[in-house]
Every structure is written in structure tokens, then in C-alpha cells.
Amino acid sequence: MAAQDAATELVGLWPRLPQLVGPDWPQVRSQTLGLVGQIREADTDEERVTHTESLLELLLPYPAVAEILGAAYHRGRRSTGSVTQTPDWADLCRLLNAMEHEQWITARFGEDSPGGASAGRTRRLVLGIDRAAHPYAFDSAQLGLTVPATEEAGVLTVDVYGAPETVEVVPVQRSLAVRRLMPDPAAAPSEALFDVTLLTDRPVHLVAVTRTADGRTPQQLRLTVDPSGLLRQDLLLALWRTPATTAAPSVDLHITLTSTGGSHVLTVRDGTGSATAQLPHSHEQLERLVVEARSGVEALLVGPGGELYESGLRIPKEVYELGLDRLTQSGFDFFHALFRPDDGSPQLRRTGDIIIDALASAGPDSAPTVEVVSDGLNLPWHLMYAVDRYDDERLSPYRLLGLGTRLTLVPLRSAHHHRHRMEYVPRTSSEATALIAVNMDIDRASTEDPRALAAGQVEYWKQRIADRAEVVVDAERVTEALRRPRRPDSLWYFYCHLIGGEEQSALGDAALAFTEGRQVGLRDARRHAPPDVPLPGAPLVVLNACATAARGSALRAGFPSYFLSKGARAVVCTDIEVPTELGAEWARRFFDRLLTGDTVATALHLTARELYKEHQNLLCLLYTAFGTSEARLVTPR
């Protein structure tokens, strides 16, 4: 298929296109990536061929491009409506998608170590930068190198990690120079070198982490080594940000967790530097740690009789003291299991030290901003109690990351999970629109103990944005809004119950429950309102319902991941059970702050601290924000 052949060549040509296209490149690049997205999301080969030809026709008018790609394109250009079936479209779409992330860094095995990579045999892994890419790497959003104009090159430090039971990696050369000008062809290329020895006859997964001189981690590559000697470089995952929020936020502590093939690599960076280490835990071991970390917060959910607090915001002193002890103890155990294990490396201890230092200044009036970037393994960072020595006489809730910091979890974006790059246009509070989905049965109007929590939520939005809030109380209307959104809303807010469990759990499909017991099931939502249909306006989504986030790494199967995949710019959800009255009071305080222009991270943090100070209530720790720390509902006043 000629179009497909030419597109394959285009992938290799991508780093040179700014030079070949010339001054028109910024505009052409935007159009090119739009067509790449259409190819990636097409459902049939007919559509893929059409979009691929459109992509090539956009570039072929430029003589330098036509000289390289024209022959492959015109040699057998489709002349009929028929489509030749080929098995290669998935690989082509993956390669085209990689262009968007500008993967200048490439991995290969050295020529001095040919042949297979069977167990026990050592091969030289070479990581370098395409020579043609050097002039453009400085402009890449991924490399993001910053060096004085008077300097010739920027330097990246490279580390390679793999599960210790599957591979041994010995660094030989960790520095990788990126030159401002095209390198002399006769000059030796700058390369990072590692000796890799497989310890198994099965495919082995590696993670290559690059760091700039100031400690940032702009690229993390996934590599798969097959015993036959084949080395595959998987799609680079990029931070999930909408185009309007591409600027790097002011973050005091940045934590990145990358997982592949049972290996988990953690990088922690603050203003003084960074540390990277491999977690000495399997996926199953980390899941057990997550369960144990969550056990402490459950003591704050129940009274002496074991009943969930349904009314009243203030937690009694004896329950608070016992709950705080259990919460901090489980958080301390979690911290030490990650950063102070018996078989931990000095680098792992250093990563823990950076987190402790970041919380050293945390108190009633100060809180650093923390972003945690994870590619799928979701740890309960907010429950972590970061101290080196546990002192039950001097417990401080501000050593919990969820209360001591402004904490947000930043999803990684890939073609599969977060396909929409929605353009978010900030609005003022007087222009904001919202979809408010409420379960009126929460008020128990027909019982002897009625309340007005749900009604209060509806009244709040009528007062704040009047007729610009669409109030929905039935599940059918929610499903229809997901399937065919009517307008570009600023906010989608859910105040309801969650029943069942996530898809991967034994409880079956999760569902949001609305008035008269009607439900919106996650499985049905994915089927009838798939991520292919984005939410216009990239709204902020707030799920104020019991247990709207799955536990452990099943989170990507849950509602937060679903809304992010439909283009939401951020999602706030509850972690496990939250009493209904607390949920209503939390919403009022949280949205008051958002409507004045506070970021999601700041509003979440200040609301949690306020309820703690006034009512000794730490249950706002259960609210988690997914999205970058600069996400807002409206523009600041």
C-alpha cells in the first residue's frame, strides 16, 4: 500500500521536517499532528488510507519532502475504492503517534555485540540521539534542555533499570550530549552505554530515564529485549496536559513512578536536586502495601460502635486520637516499606530523604506543592506519613502528604488512555457553565429522618451560576449527556452514591446511583459513550460519591480514568467511603474557592485543612485530584 509505505518513511524523516519544510513548519506541524490523530483513531482501513493520503498531500508540495517521499507515494497510489488488507496498521499508528512526542532518543545494541541476547550473555546497549535531530532537540517539549546560548551542547544523564531477577544492568557511560548545531559526520556520536545481561530466557523489560543538569526527568523510555536479540522501544508516554496548560507549573516536589515488566522506577526531585531508584517490590507486594496503608484511615470512618459517621462533622476526641494514631502509623509503615526497606539501596534512601525534607517546613500556614506522575501504578501518596522516626507523643497531621502539601496526581497520556488534547478556554465565574448530577434520594424525603443535603447542593448552584447550571437527577439524562454532550461546560459535578465495584473486582461493574435507584454503569458508559466522543470544553469533573476511585492499580479501570480519556482537564474523586454530610459540606467550601479562581490543588488542600482545624476531621484526605497542579475551574479574579 503506497500511502502506508510512504507514511512509514515519514516516521523516520520526522526529525528533519523542520529543515525540509522551512518557515511554514509551525503551522504544518499542527496540521500534521491533527491528521496523525485521525489515522490513529480511524476504525477502518478505508479511513486510515484516506487520512494517510491527506497527511502526505499536506507535505508533498514542499520540494525537499517530495524528493524523498514522492516516489513511494505516487508509485502505487490508490486508484480505486478497494483497500488492500494489511496487518501493519497498528504498528504504523504507533509509530505515527510517536512523532507527536518527538522521540529524539533511540536505543539499539552495539555493533560489537551481534546476535541474540540469551540468558547469561552480555550485550552493549547504546542510547543516542539521531544526528539529524540535534538542531531541533532544544526546541522539543520532551527534552526541554536549557543551556546558555554561548554553550555548544546540553547534557543529559541516562540511567537504565530492570527487575533484578530478570536482568543485570551495568552503566558504562551515562552522559549524553545534545549539540546545538548539526554534528560533524566524522565526529564520534555522543552515546550513553550500558552492559545488559539477561537472567532469563523470556523477554525482559527495561526503563531508561533521562535527567537534565537541573534534575528534571524529561523522557522515560520503555524498552523490551527479546532473547532473539530484538530490541523494541515502546511508545513514549507524555504528561497529560491540555494545550492551554502546557507551561510547567511551580512545583516544590516532583515524584515520577514508571513501571514495566514488574520493575518500578521512582524519581524524586526538589529545588536542590533529584534521586532515582528502583523499588525492590513486585507488583503484588506493592498492592499489599497499598491495602495496609489504607487500613489506618478506616479508623476515622467509624465510631465506638463501628457505625459509619453519617451526621456531624466533628469527630469525637477519643475517636480522633485513636484514628490519628492508626492513620499515622499505617502511613509511616507505608513510607518505610517504600524508602527504608531492609534491602534498599542508598539511592532509595535518598529519594525518601527528599520527601522528608519537603515536608520539614509544612505546618498550619505552609504547604509545598507536590505533583506525582504515575503511568498506572497508583499508590496512596496522600496517606504517606513521611518521617524517619515514629514518635507517638508528637504526631503531626501535617507530615501526611495529603494534608501537609498541595498534592495532585498527574496522569500520563498515551494514545489508548487519554486520546483527546482538548483546547480549554478559561472562563470567568460569570461565564462558567455546569452540569450538576444529583441523587435526590440522599435526602430521604419520605422517611422520619429527612434531610436537605442534595437539595442544598442544587440550591447552591442556582445561586452561584443561576440558569447556567443544568441540574440532572435521573440516570438516563446523565447517560445521554455522556453520549451527546450539548455544550462546552466548565464543570461536571456528581453528588450521588457509588455501588458495586470496579470492573476488575469480584463485585462486578461499578455504577453511579441516582434518583429512584437508577444507575449509570461504567461498563455501559464505555460501550454507549466511548472515549472517542470527547466532552467539549474539557470540563473539570468532580465525583463527590462514595468510593469513586478504585483501590490499587485498578484505578485506570474506574470512572476517573474514563472521564480523563473523554477529555476532562482534571478529575477530583473520593478514594473510599465518605460520609454524606461531610461530602455536602466539603463541596460548599471546595467550590467557593474554585469559583474565586483557586487551583484545584489549592482548593482541595485549604478545604481539608479548614475542616481539620474546625472539626478534627481528617476525612478530606480521601479526596484525590487527578490532573496538573495548575488546573482551575475559572480564571482568577
Side-chain angles (χ1 to χ4, degrees):
M1 186 180 297
Q4 181 177 336
D5 293 340
T8 303
E9 293 189 32
L10 172 63
V11 173
L13 191 65
W14 178 263
R16 296 175 56 197
L17 285 179
Q19 176 187 7
L20 299 175
V21 172
D24 292 347
W25 174 241
Q27 179 181 357
V28 171
R29 180 184 185 275
S30 177
Q31 294 174 276
T32 298
L33 293 179
L35 289 167
V36 166
Q38 293 182 48
I39 296 169
R40 186 174 63 238
E41 296 170 13
D43 295 321
T44 66
D45 280 350
E46 179 77 30
E47 293 174 338
R48 294 185 186 103
V49 170
T50 299
H51 296 319
T52 300
E53 289 185 345
S54 297
L55 169 63
L56 295 167
E57 288 165 359
L58 173 68
L59 296 169
L60 289 175
Y62 296 92
V65 179
E67 183 178 351
I68 300 171
L69 297 181
Y73 176 62
H74 292 292
R75 185 166 50 244
R77 186 178 184 275
R78 184 182 57 173
S79 58
T80 68
S82 62
V83 177
T84 303
Q85 296 295 325
T86 75
D88 301 325
W89 274 110
D91 286 341
L92 175 62
C93 290
R94 177 179 61 79
L95 290 170
L96 287 170
N97 187 58
M99 294 180 357
E100 176 182 354
H101 306 303
E102 297 174 337
Q103 292 178 271
W104 308 126
I105 296 179
T106 59
R108 61 181 175 83
F109 281 124
E111 297 176 359
D112 57 343
S113 55
S118 56
R121 183 167 185 265
T122 300
R123 300 196 66 186
R124 179 64 55 84
L125 177 65
V126 181
L127 291 104
I129 298 181
D130 189 322
R131 285 175 179 270
H134 277 88
Y136 317 112
F138 284 94
D139 297 325
S140 166
Q142 294 303 319
L143 289 186
L145 290 175
T146 303
V147 297
T150 55
E151 299 210 5
E152 180 180 319
V155 177
L156 295 171
T157 300
V158 185
D159 288 292
V160 175
Y161 301 90
E165 65 273 16
T166 65
V167 65
E168 179 182 273
V169 180
V170 178
V172 178
Q173 166 64 37
R174 297 172 58 217
S175 296
L176 179 62
V178 183
R179 303 192 180 281
R180 191 177 295 280
L181 301 177
M182 189 78 73
D184 185 337
S190 174
E191 296 171 333
L193 308 173
F194 299 83
D195 283 341
V196 175
T197 306
L198 272 59
L199 306 179
T200 174
D201 288 324
R202 296 187 301 274
V204 169
H205 303 279
L206 300 171
V207 178
V209 180
T210 65
R211 288 186 291 113
T212 59
D214 59 0
R216 290 180 296 107
T217 57
Q219 280 200 341
Q220 298 194 47
L221 310 179
R222 296 170 181 262
L223 308 174
T224 301
V225 183
D226 190 270
S228 66
L230 177 66
L231 177 65
R232 186 176 75 248
Q233 181 172 321
D234 294 337
L235 172 66
L236 174 69
L237 297 175
L239 290 187
W240 180 84
R241 298 182 189 276
T242 57
T245 59
T246 52
S250 176
V251 177
D252 300 296
L253 181 65
H254 193 280
I255 302 172
T256 304
L257 181 60
T258 302
S259 307
T260 185
S263 178
H264 310 290
V265 178
L266 186 70
T267 299
V268 179
R269 173 176 55 85
D270 63 6
T272 64
S274 69
T276 302
Q278 184 167 304
L279 296 180
H281 302 289
S282 67
H283 187 79
E284 292 73 20
Q285 289 172 327
L286 285 173
E287 287 283 7
R288 288 196 293 270
L289 291 178
V290 167
V291 173
E292 293 168 4
R294 294 186 190 280
S295 64
V297 76
E298 294 174 0
L300 289 167
L301 283 169
V302 297
E307 297 295 327
L308 178 71
Y309 278 114
E310 284 292 339
S311 61
L313 295 176
R314 186 166 186 83
I315 299 210
K317 181 179 180 181
E318 64 277 9
V319 177
Y320 164 78
E321 291 176 349
L322 177 61
L324 179 63
D325 181 66
R326 292 184 180 178
L327 179 65
T328 53
Q329 181 66 63
S330 63
F332 172 80
D333 292 343
F334 179 47
F335 175 83
H336 273 246
L338 283 183
F339 301 106
R340 304 291 192 260
D342 294 337
D343 56 348
S345 64
Q347 294 88 346
L348 194 58
R349 174 170 284 275
R350 172 59 181 149
T351 59
D353 289 341
I354 293 176
I355 295 176
I356 290 177
D357 292 344
L359 280 171
S361 61
D365 302 313
S366 60
T369 298
V370 177
E371 278 193 349
V372 179
V373 179
S374 174
D375 64 351
L377 182 66
N378 296 282
L379 304 178
W381 298 95
H382 53 300
L383 301 179
M384 181 177 288
Y385 191 69
V387 294
D388 224 1
R389 179 173 299 177
Y390 190 77
D391 184 355
D392 55 9
E393 298 295 327
R394 300 178 61 186
L395 299 179
S396 170
Y398 300 112
R399 304 298 293 188
L400 291 159
L401 259 68
L403 194 67
T405 71
R406 292 173 169 85
L407 177 69
T408 51
L409 306 184
V410 184
L412 283 171
R413 179 176 54 80
S414 72
H416 177 68
H417 289 291
H418 308 295
R419 66 187 66 189
H420 302 295
R421 302 188 69 185
M422 301 295 292
E423 183 67 45
Y424 169 61
V425 180
R427 304 183 191 180
T428 65
S429 58
S430 61
E431 299 171 326
T433 61
L435 178 86
I436 311 299
V438 179
N439 183 346
M440 298 305 295
D441 289 345
I442 290 174
D443 286 352
R444 304 182 301 208
S446 59
T447 69
E448 295 180 358
D449 184 26
R451 53 193 179 186
L453 301 178
Q457 300 283 292
V458 173
E459 184 61 28
Y460 175 91
W461 288 104
K462 286 183 177 179
Q463 292 179 2
R464 295 307 301 260
I465 60 177
D467 58 348
R468 287 175 286 112
E470 178 187 359
V471 178
V472 177
V473 298
D474 61 278
E476 290 77 8
R477 175 64 191 100
V478 172
T479 301
E480 181 62 22
L482 288 169
R483 186 185 297 119
R484 297 184 182 86
R486 294 180 181 177
R487 63 184 183 184
D489 285 316
S490 307
L491 169 73
W492 276 38
Y493 173 51
F494 296 81
Y495 182 68
C496 58
H497 292 308
L498 182 109
I499 62 174
E502 302 300 341
E503 277 189 331
Q504 297 179 358
S505 76
L507 295 177
D509 184 30
L512 297 172
F514 292 94
T515 309
E516 297 181 352
R518 302 293 179 85
Q519 302 172 14
V520 176
L522 178 58
R523 187 179 293 115
D524 287 339
R526 285 194 178 123
R527 183 184 304 117
H528 300 300
D532 305 78
V533 181
L535 299 177
L540 168 67
V541 175
V542 178
L543 299 165
N544 192 9
C546 296
T548 49
R551 304 185 184 190
S553 60
L555 177 65
R556 282 192 177 273
F559 279 103
S561 179
Y562 169 71
F563 281 106
L564 287 171
S565 70
K566 284 183 72 69
R569 69 180 178 278
V571 175
V572 177
C573 61
T574 56
D575 199 41
I576 55 177
E577 296 169 283
V578 171
T580 355
E581 185 163 325
L582 171 66
E585 181 63 19
W586 171 87
R588 181 183 65 80
R589 300 180 187 224
F590 176 69
F591 286 120
D592 277 350
R593 289 186 167 89
L594 283 186
L595 287 168
T596 64
D598 277 353
T599 65
V600 169
T602 296
L604 202 64
H605 163 75
L606 293 178
T607 301
R609 286 200 169 191
E610 191 174 81
L611 285 166
Y612 164 67
K613 291 178 183 179
E614 294 179 11
H615 303 289
Q616 287 189 308
N617 197 321
L618 288 167
L619 292 178
C620 284
L621 284 170
L622 300 176
Y623 287 90
T624 306
F626 294 86
T628 58
S629 58
E630 76 269 23
R632 303 175 188 271
L633 174 59
V634 299
T635 56
R637 290 179 179 174

